[in-house]
Amino acid sequence: MCETCGCTITPGNQHLVQGEGRLARTADGKAAITVLQSLLHENDHQAEHNREHLDGYGTLAINLMSSPGSGKTSLLEATIEALQGSFKVAVIEGDLETENDAVRVRAKGVPVVQITTGSACHLDAHLVHDALHHLELDGVDILFIENVGNLVCPASFDLGHHLNVTLLSVTEGDDKPAKYPVMFRAADLLLLSKVDLLAVLDDFDPAAAEEHFRHLANPVPVLRVSARKGEGMEAWLHWLRQTLMVHRARLRQGATSRPAVQSDGARVHEQGPAHHGRHDHDHDHGGHPHHDYHHG
Amino acid sequence: MHEFSVCHDLLRQVEDLARAHNARAVSAIHLQIGPLSGIEATLLEQAFTVARAGTVAAAAVLATEALPIRVRCQSCGAVGEVAVNRLVCGACGDWHTELLSGDELLLASVELELEEDDV
């Protein structure tokens, strides 16, 4: 196994992925082509374009993910109210059906586009691209993308956003991070939501939730909030302001921000001098090290 | 159920490759999947049997290689294989680890039947 990135390219098979060696023959004479490209190449390609589009407007895009009913929309309502006058916010709402969430958020006076996915369990970069065409991004500081309530599928799709914020409400089990490691590993911030209910829910232990979360080797902050009671909102708003400031500084240097954990193996497989010439497309996604979303 | 979306992306790539090499058909597709990719190989294989219909890969075999989850400890440097929800150093117990493999979702290779093979 490759020492640099842990992939399966070795000195023995490296010639297969370089230059003319890409096209070899199998024992029965078929043409064998080594590709080593993400299965989600189409989605990732679209996501890169979405990110470039957002960066053109200086808009920070945050992907909100959680189970259904963990308080994403309530958090958005409270956040929009709190940011009124200081930042311009826009929202993309993802749901299987209904415009209910869009109506709730629109009532707060911000532009909202609702994506109804029908039976699809997640948003993808193409759906978000279509939604972006219906949004006026001029002057928008923060775009929240409220993903479909689901702790499984949304984690696998890059939307072209900059950061993942994952909610875990205290009405759920505190072992959710252990049950849905892919989702919680992808979080750039974990919000324990509805913490005002901790007083009446004695079976949710926030310390245990955080321990399960750390076991996924995720070092990002864990904040406790109650959108309804306003508890912990200041720390969340502070994180938002800081994140926007850092993001804008990066944009000024010609860089951007990305979720710490990418949805594919491109991160490790598209970097490093040993692996050049493995794939055909003509633009640079740029590799980046694990857990470093301070990357351009 | 997002395995269907992944299948769709996969087939688009395979069709592009087949077209680029003027292939008559795709006989095999090899994938590498790590547990932390969030994709279940068995569900993907089931989705593939439906999604491949009518494509150049209609008769293709889908083979998936499962890759292990391996981490390197940032405290003691130990490297080891770990469970999907416990990326903790097996030697010293620290959770500050770096993922070496296990989140792959890769199209490793395809086998094509080329038009020129007919002549």
Side-chain angles (χ1 to χ4, degrees), chain A residues 84-104:
Chain A
Q84 235 152 36
S86 49
F87 294 114
K88 192 171 168 192
V89 172
V91 177
I92 293 175
E93 283 286 346
D95 277 300
L96 271 65
E97 293 294 347
T98 84
E99 287 248 347
N100 295 352
D101 285 357
V103 169
R104 277 174 66 183

Side-chain angles (χ1 to χ4, degrees), chain A residues 119-143:
Chain A
S119 58
C121 47
H122 59 273
L123 295 179
D124 65 24
H126 299 286
L127 288 170
V128 168
H129 177 251
D130 292 345
L132 286 174
H133 276 296
H134 296 98
L135 260 187
E136 179 53 69
L137 285 177
D138 218 12
V140 171
D141 298 297
I142 304 175
L143 170 68

Side-chain angles (χ1 to χ4, degrees), chain A residues 15-16 22 58 62 68 70 85 119 122 141 192 198 210-211 225 227 238 263 281 284 288:
Chain A
H15 63 284
L16 293 175
R22 286 170 59 93
I62 292 179
S70 61
S119 58
H122 59 273
D141 298 297
L192 297 183
L198 278 174
E210 185 165 343
E211 195 184 344
V225 295
H238 177 74
S263 56
H281 64 197
D284 179 25
H288 67 112

Side-chain angles (χ1 to χ4, degrees), chain A residues 5 8 25 30-31 33 35-43 119 121-122 153 156 178 214-215 217 267, chain B residues 1-2 5 9 12-13 21 27 32 37 85-87 95 97 100 103 105-112 117:
Chain A
C5 66
T8 50
R25 289 279 163 168
K30 300 210 172 71
I33 299 171
V35 188
L36 288 173
Q37 183 165 281
S38 167
L39 256 60
L40 286 167
H41 177 67
E42 292 271 332
N43 184 79
S119 58
C121 47
H122 59 273
C153 317
S156 295
R214 296 300 178 212
H215 282 169
R267 166 174 49 77
Chain B
M1 64 193 282
H2 59 305
S5 308
D9 251 31
R12 286 281 296 272
Q13 284 182 69
H21 291 91
S27 50
Q32 292 178 333
S37 68
N85 58 5
R86 207 174 156 79
L87 311 183
W95 58 261
T97 62
L100 298 179
D103 67 343
L105 184 57
L106 292 175
L107 171 57
S109 65
V110 294
E111 288 173 28
L112 304 177
D117 292 347

